[in-house]
Amino acid sequence: MNDEPTSEYKAFAKAMADMQKAFVTVGRTFAAQGAMGWAYRGDVQGLTATLDAMDAELLTELSAAAQLLGSEADQALARKAA
């Protein structure tokens, strides 16, 4: 009896690992969108709760993205005022 995994099993295992990574990415995206929604509505309590539930890596990414968004929005406003 051969205990080596079949190529089909290996392909399935890889597909499941890839799917798990995709779900993590989707979850992080939804968390970031949730934080943006709270901020947009000015709900500091909801925003704080959402941010407190995030890990440091996601908070770092979200902070950088927020700074870029703010900067670009300011530039867009300046172009419209010109």
Side-chain angles (χ1 to χ4, degrees), residues 6-66:
T6 64
S7 61
E8 291 86 4
Y9 175 82
K10 290 178 183 178
F12 177 76
K14 182 182 180 326
M16 291 297 102
D18 291 346
M19 188 178 298
Q20 191 270 339
K21 289 177 188 175
F23 283 139
V24 168
T25 300
V26 167
R28 293 170 70 83
T29 301
F30 284 157
Q33 288 177 332
M36 182 64 182
W38 292 123
Y40 188 77
R41 289 188 294 278
D43 187 329
V44 176
Q45 185 176 7
L47 177 59
T48 300
T50 300
L51 294 175
D52 286 347
M54 293 180 183
D55 63 30
E57 181 183 0
L58 181 55
L59 286 169
T60 300
E61 293 172 359
L62 189 59
S63 178

